[in-house]
Amino acid sequence: MILNPYFDIDPRLEHMAAAAEADCAAPFAKIDENERHNAQKVLKAFIDHRVSESHFAGSSGYGYDDRGRETLDAVWAQVFGAEDAMVRHNFMSGTHAITTALFGVLRPGDIMVSLTGKPYDTLDSAIHGRGVGSLEEFGVVYRELALLPDGAVDFGSIPKAVVGAKMAYIQRSRGYSLRPSLQIETIRKIFEAVRGASPETLCVCDNCYGEFVDTLEPTEVGADLIIGSLIKNPGGGIAKTGGYIAGRHDLVELCGHRLSAPGVGREIGCTLTELRPMYQGLFFSPTVTAAALKTAVFAARFFELCGYRATPRYDEPRTDIIETVELGSREALCAYCRGIQSGSPVDSFVTPEPWAMPGYDDEVIMAAGTFSLGASIELSADAPLREPYAVWMQGGLTYPTGRTGVLLAAQSMLSNGELTIPAK
Ligand SMILES: *Cc1c(COP(=O)(O)O)cnc(C)c1O
């Protein structure tokens, strides 16, 4: 075994890493197969739409008749098996894209029902906020179907929950909860249950972190609308900002009227210099997502071998790039995040500290040394400081650097007396 010549990592950790990696052969092979499938899916869409240099030119001002923008939308729609898509650098975050979709589609008096419990923390204000122009302040009625105690969707209660609802909303990834993320086949069954009970109800899915983790996307199994962020999977680590909304043409159009102005819609929206990175990011996305998945699988197995509980387990089927490791204490969590930060290509020298973040209930610690600020397709770790002191880690632009980041996190814990290496 070759020890790492550049980083000071305890040889016992290197041995543990080698053992973990040997165990990962089968999951890695599955990730490779999925990467191949999605890389071909993306390549075919580029070819079918005759993407060329002229599509990268970008526009200024109002951005009328921007062929690059329109073609990117069409490529995106094909890849996601959707009628239409709107991909824009103007989306400032995933939350902005999701909020645009909610306000785009919902009207006063409409009922929105979340079927996967409480949505992602940052949506709280958009749904319930006071004095900020939330959905509730605009007269949209919000309801929630709680998850079952084991984190599963309460299928039996879906029919009653969705009757009369304009929108059934689900979140594929678990966010800052410890529930299981939704497999594509589960998403299919949820939307079948919605349609069976209430054919008019729109099926909407927050797809953040899920893109290209499986061979199918939610739009291919019944979603009317999906939403995601370009500083996660589908930006491939290359898009500098942005988001997308994909799905039924009439709904994407409505979202366009919300993103710009009612009546103006998608006619405008200049692309500046962002088209090339958005195209290129989509092209790289299946491969970068695979690197992030391998980093997650490796981290899971490594920490399992150290005696920690990791979810998903290393060999469980995945539907997003998130890995959670329950580290048990505030000190272990902070040491872990410091280690991840120290192994980042950017800002390796800064020390993450717990902090109160807008949109989050608990103090949060975040480690992210990224090319795009806060991009979580790049190796990053974040954790609300609450029991069971689980760290949510995700991303990794390349597997070798992702693996190194995980080892540096373990080393940081070890150096702080927060990691015990089980005796053989
Ligand atoms: C990242 C994410 C969002 C959006 O978060 P932003 O930080 O605003 O980009 C929404 N839902 C889920 C599940 C996410 O992972």
Side-chain angles (χ1 to χ4, degrees), residues 92-98 119-123 169 171-176 179 206-209 229 231-232 242 322 360 374 376:
M92 292 175 249
S93 66
T95 303
H96 182 212
I98 293 167
Y120 195 70
D121 298 37
T122 59
L123 290 168
Y169 178 91
Q171 182 181 304
R172 178 174 178 179
S173 177
R174 65 192 137 143
Y176 284 136
R179 70 153 166 105
D206 169 357
N207 201 31
C208 282
Y209 286 134
S229 163
I231 57 169
K232 296 179 179 174
I322 299 191
Y360 296 90
S376 43

